[in-house]
Amino acid sequence: MHARTTEARRAAVLGSPVAHSLSPVLHRAAYEALGLTGWTYDRFEVDEAALPGFVDGLGAEWAGLSLTMPLKRAVIPLLDEISETAASVEAVNTLVFGEDGRRTGDNTDVPGMVAALREHGIEEVESAAVLGAGATASSALAALSRVCTGEVVAYVRSEARAAEMRRWGERLDVELRTAPWEDAAEALRAPLVIATTPAGTTDALAHAVPERPATLFDVLYEPWPTMLAARWSMVGGAVVGGLDLLVHQAVLQVEQMTGRVPAPLDAMRKAGEHALASR
């Protein structure tokens, strides 16, 4: 059901830390483009211990919440319903409140990754590589389960992380092999490379970019470009960036929270680009 443009509704992003989040910029741009003059979107510093009380204290005017780390798993026990996608990666980044107060959790990171790849012409690849083994890596595997027809190699720093990634691969029905981080330069020859590591981690790999690289999906958006992404572009490779992911997952959040489809992708992207350029 479409929300009335004059109806006062609230949404916000929660996390810790959360001050850096671009979500308010993206969602507010969407509200403006959609004419949702009564809607507001804020950010709140909330950790795992404070989350239950925060959610329980929200009134009927709340439409939904965006959840960032460390809340994506902590919120699951507070939900009435969880989507198949969110359950598959045990991570919820979107909480939508029904008219009856029912709490539904979803994960828009996974379809957001797929949408970002498709926007850059990547519908299907024969194999892929993942750099890293954190929370974002599991979402990357879930996305790859939809676009990769063959083997995925995950490059990780420890056997514990390798075992964790193998469990995710089995759970998500992905043909997964793990390799040590010391061999990560080999990943750069894959048809699709997804870098899920923190800022600076892949800088040392920039010199190893091959002469004719295929596609790099670097989930970082600040600082941007990363050294790896800059080198990749310089030699003619295709690059999908973190802002692409951020915007596409936010589009899906806006659609779920407001009932307006499609959400204004271009307006949201422009607002994100402007905000990053101003920092």
Side-chain angles (χ1 to χ4, degrees):
M1 185 176 72
H2 287 186
R4 296 188 300 273
T5 58
T6 56
E7 185 178 8
R9 300 301 304 276
R10 297 189 67 183
V13 59
L14 313 183
S16 184
V18 77
H20 67 287
S21 175
L22 276 182
S23 291
V25 171
L26 302 181
H27 285 251
R28 290 168 187 169
Y31 298 164
E32 182 177 0
L34 292 169
L36 296 174
T37 56
W39 284 64
T40 60
Y41 189 101
D42 302 296
R43 63 164 65 90
F44 293 95
E45 185 83 13
V46 177
D47 61 16
E48 293 164 290
L51 181 62
F54 185 95
V55 174
D56 288 343
L58 300 180
E61 75 277 13
W62 282 84
L65 297 170
S66 304
L67 300 155
T68 186
M69 297 305 292
L71 306 179
K72 293 184 179 184
R73 290 185 179 171
V75 73
I76 294 176
L78 309 178
L79 303 173
D80 297 304
E81 184 179 353
I82 184 172
S83 72
E84 183 178 337
T85 299
S88 73
V89 292
E90 296 181 359
V92 168
N93 76 330
T94 307
L95 195 169
V96 177
F97 297 102
E99 291 186 2
D100 58 355
R102 188 172 179 82
R103 303 168 182 174
T104 300
D106 192 16
N107 184 304
T108 64
D109 287 329
V110 174
M113 283 187 175
V114 175
L117 286 168
R118 286 178 176 165
E119 186 179 38
H120 285 77
I122 307 298
E123 297 278 350
E124 185 178 284
V125 292
E126 295 182 355
S127 61
V130 175
L131 299 175
T136 307
S138 60
S139 293
L141 284 183
L144 287 170
S145 72
R146 306 181 185 189
V147 301
C148 183
T149 60
E151 184 182 63
V152 176
V153 184
Y155 292 81
V156 300
R157 291 192 179 278
S158 69
E159 178 51 39
R161 286 298 182 94
E164 183 177 357
M165 286 296 282
R166 288 193 290 269
R167 286 194 294 271
W168 279 116
E170 184 175 349
R171 177 171 181 164
L172 295 165
D173 197 24
V174 173
E175 182 186 340
L176 182 77
R177 176 168 61 88
T178 57
W181 184 260
E182 290 75 19
D183 298 336
E186 297 176 7
L188 308 186
R189 301 186 181 280
L192 172 61
V193 182
I194 303 183
T196 69
T197 52
T201 306
T202 62
D203 288 356
L205 296 175
H207 76 281
V209 174
E211 289 184 5
R212 292 183 175 83
T215 300
L216 170 69
F217 190 163
D218 195 324
V219 303
L220 293 172
Y221 63 85
E222 192 176 22
W224 188 260
T226 62
M227 288 180 63
L228 180 61
R231 177 62 184 170
W232 202 278
S233 294
M234 186 181 302
V235 296
V239 175
V240 185
L243 184 60
D244 296 309
L245 168 59
L246 194 66
V247 171
H248 277 285
Q249 65 82 26
V251 160
L252 297 170
Q253 289 185 333
V254 168
E255 291 177 350
Q256 290 189 34
M257 293 180 192
T258 68
R260 298 296 187 90
V261 179
L265 173 67
D266 289 343
M268 295 169 70
R269 190 196 309 277
K270 289 177 182 177
E273 290 172 343
H274 178 74
L276 286 175
S278 301
R279 289 186 175 182

